[in-house]
Amino acid sequence: MEGDISVESHTEGLTCLSRECKPLEDVTNGHSNHKPVTNGLPISHRVKEQTNGNASLRCLPISALKQNGLLQTLAAGGEPMVAEESSELEKAREEWEAVESIQPAATEESAPTPLISFNEALQYFQTTDLGELLRNIQPTVRRTGLAAITHFFFGPPRLHRELLEERDLVFAIAQCSLDNSQAVHMRVLQTIYKRLVGGRLDCARYGNHWENIGFQGTDPATDLRGTGFLGLMHTLYFVMDPETLPLARDIYKLSQHPTQNFPFSVMSINMTRIALQVLREEALSKECNRRQQVVGVLNEFYVATYLHLYQLWKTQQKTISDSGYVLKEVELFAKKNPKQMMRRLEVFLKEQRSGAGPRGASPDPQGHQGSPSLGGARPGSGSGSGQGSKEKQMHFTGVCELPPDMEGEARLI
């Protein structure tokens, strides 16, 4: 374009297109040159005059179109008529046509990730090569010297040989990390979230919404370092089993309490850690041998451990500041009384199936009428008889009722 135009003069020319053109007389070597101008801007010789008599259009420079864009020129009130379509207009038309051809993407609501059952997720690990992980597991406690001799003669029975492979699979899963590229891993994560919050749509892989179900940050994977993917598998079992789902939601509801709140998922991972340690110490071997399975026994023991913590937390009005002491007590009691833990869960679920309120859980301090798994009457209320109070004591072992051999360990006050 001939004759570069400064920004100030060019802007001034665009805002005053309706003014009449004034001649500008430049004297060069004694010769006078008359050029039509608009506020000091010479008009290019390539602009043809309009026949409709509009002065502002006759004074519109081509440079205004090219330097300021077609839309700016039109907004200023001009409708220039150029010899050929500008390249900017052609480009804009192509972009608009491209926009019109874009197809709407499928939304999460139209295609949510399907839920996954515990058995389907377990089958995935059973058919996956976990050889590298199996080489790094420690399925039993290594004992030496007198401890080894004492455990051999007086300890729990050894796990049957035919169950060793299933036990090793459990510890291999506990070594497996969360993998974003594995569809099964992502389905497990989405299923847990949906079942707890009662949602139907998928949620983002990262975000603050994971804190709503008790993870410590925006990425659940960072909380799985202690138990690996087994921590998610146990939570999946908890929320997908029809018998345990009401209990899972009751515990989740308590975790959202204004004063008794705690991180549900982090606490669940701690229950998995305790269950793994009890299995490693062979305290579950007798029950596994009796039922000829390891995964099923471990799943139920995990739920029983969480039930014990839930009853303790709820009845004794524990808060997050008590969590360290409570976890130590739950772990110690679980190691010493695995059979009693399993029995209490069995009674709890049986009462839930029959519709009777399970014993050992007091109502919400806010007076909330929970699901049948919360049940029970408030201590000292008129609805509970002396017989009912005695039954509660029989089926719930509080911290003060722990056996004498627990002296020296962390105690709740």
Side-chain angles (χ1 to χ4, degrees):
M1 179 63 62
E2 297 177 358
D4 294 334
I5 304 171
S6 65
V7 175
E8 291 87 354
S9 61
H10 184 68
T11 305
E12 183 183 7
L14 286 177
T15 56
C16 304
L17 293 177
S18 61
R19 299 180 181 179
E20 292 294 334
C21 298
K22 296 181 180 180
L24 176 66
E25 183 173 328
D26 295 332
V27 179
T28 305
N29 293 333
H31 297 281
S32 180
N33 296 325
H34 295 275
K35 297 180 181 180
V37 296
T38 303
N39 289 347
L41 297 180
I43 300 177
S44 172
H45 64 281
R46 280 174 286 186
V47 179
K48 298 180 180 180
E49 287 191 355
Q50 304 273 341
T51 58
N52 58 6
N54 192 323
S56 63
L57 297 184
R58 289 196 300 271
C59 301
L60 184 65
I62 292 297
S63 59
L65 284 174
K66 291 195 174 183
Q67 293 185 21
N68 290 273
L70 179 62
L71 294 179
Q72 294 182 9
T73 306
L74 293 177
E79 296 184 11
M81 181 175 181
V82 296
E84 297 178 355
E85 245 181 3
S86 68
S87 60
E88 286 189 31
L89 182 59
E90 182 63 27
K91 184 179 179 181
R93 180 180 289 108
E94 293 175 357
E95 291 178 355
W96 177 252
E97 291 175 353
V99 169
E100 290 181 328
S101 63
I102 294 177
Q103 299 296 326
T107 61
E108 290 182 341
E109 184 177 3
S110 61
T113 301
L115 300 180
I116 186 171
S117 67
F118 177 85
N119 288 335
E120 184 180 353
L122 179 63
Q123 186 178 14
Y124 161 79
F125 285 103
Q126 290 173 333
T127 57
T128 301
D129 183 13
L130 302 176
E132 187 67 28
L133 299 175
L134 287 169
R135 285 191 285 269
N136 299 323
I137 66 173
Q138 184 184 342
T140 58
V141 176
R142 295 170 184 170
R143 299 178 175 89
T144 58
L146 183 60
I149 296 174
T150 303
H151 181 75
F152 180 80
F153 287 104
F154 305 104
R158 292 176 177 268
L159 192 67
H160 290 171
R161 184 178 300 274
E162 60 269 20
L163 298 177
L164 296 180
E165 183 178 352
E166 186 178 350
R167 178 204 63 185
D168 292 348
L169 173 64
V170 168
F171 283 97
I173 297 175
Q175 294 283 330
C176 183
S177 58
L178 181 62
D179 188 351
N180 292 344
S181 64
Q182 294 294 334
V184 170
H185 288 207
M186 296 299 100
R187 287 178 64 194
V188 169
L189 205 56
Q190 294 287 343
T191 299
I192 292 172
Y193 184 86
K194 293 175 184 178
R195 296 286 279 184
L196 282 177
V197 303
R200 190 169 57 89
L201 303 180
D202 290 352
C203 58
R205 171 63 180 84
Y206 304 97
N208 295 331
H209 51 275
W210 295 114
E211 298 178 12
N212 296 336
I213 62 171
F215 288 103
Q216 295 185 96
T218 59
D219 182 9
T222 59
D223 293 326
L224 301 177
R225 286 186 288 265
T227 62
F229 203 82
L230 186 65
L232 293 180
M233 289 290 287
H234 276 165
T235 311
L236 178 68
Y237 170 80
F238 203 9
V239 300
M240 288 302 289
D241 189 296
E243 286 194 332
T244 60
L245 176 60
L247 173 61
R249 285 180 171 167
D250 286 338
I251 298 177
Y252 175 68
K253 187 181 301 181
L254 179 63
S255 74
Q256 306 292 310
H257 192 274
T259 58
Q260 288 191 270
N261 61 82
F262 57 87
F264 176 89
S265 295
V266 172
M267 197 68 79
S268 172
I269 292 170
N270 275 277
M271 299 303 101
T272 298
R273 178 187 58 80
I274 293 173
L276 267 179
Q277 188 60 27
V278 174
L279 178 64
R280 184 179 283 114
E281 294 181 4
E282 302 177 86
L284 295 178
S285 295
K286 184 176 181 179
E287 184 66 17
C288 291
N289 291 339
R290 186 182 71 85
R291 294 169 54 177
Q292 284 298 295
Q293 59 174 313
V294 176
V295 173
V297 172
L298 188 65
N299 285 344
E300 291 184 14
F301 186 77
Y302 153 81
V303 176
T305 306
Y306 216 161
L307 172 63
H308 179 68
L309 179 136
Y310 166 68
Q311 292 173 325
L312 180 65
W313 195 281
K314 190 174 185 64
T315 57
Q316 298 193 12
Q317 304 291 302
K318 299 302 179 184
T319 64
I320 192 64
S321 61
D322 304 314
S323 59
Y325 298 103
V326 174
L327 283 173
K328 288 181 180 179
E329 289 294 345
V330 170
E331 181 173 0
L332 186 57
F333 185 79
K335 290 178 178 179
K336 296 290 186 179
N337 306 277
K339 185 176 181 180
Q340 184 178 347
M341 298 272 288
M342 301 283 284
R343 173 60 181 166
R344 188 187 308 156
L345 175 64
E346 181 182 348
V347 172
F348 182 93
L349 296 178
K350 183 178 180 181
E351 292 174 344
Q352 184 173 268
R353 286 192 297 269
S354 64
R359 295 174 287 272
S362 64
D364 193 302
Q366 292 181 310
H368 173 72
Q369 185 73 25
S371 64
S373 62
L374 279 173
R378 184 182 300 274
S381 64
S383 59
S385 63
Q387 179 69 21
S389 301
K390 182 180 295 186
E391 288 180 351
K392 288 181 184 179
Q393 294 175 1
M394 291 173 58
H395 290 275
F396 174 66
T397 303
V399 175
C400 297
E401 301 172 294
L402 293 176
D405 59 0
M406 291 187 61
E407 294 181 2
E409 298 290 342
R411 300 299 297 271
L412 285 176
I413 299 176

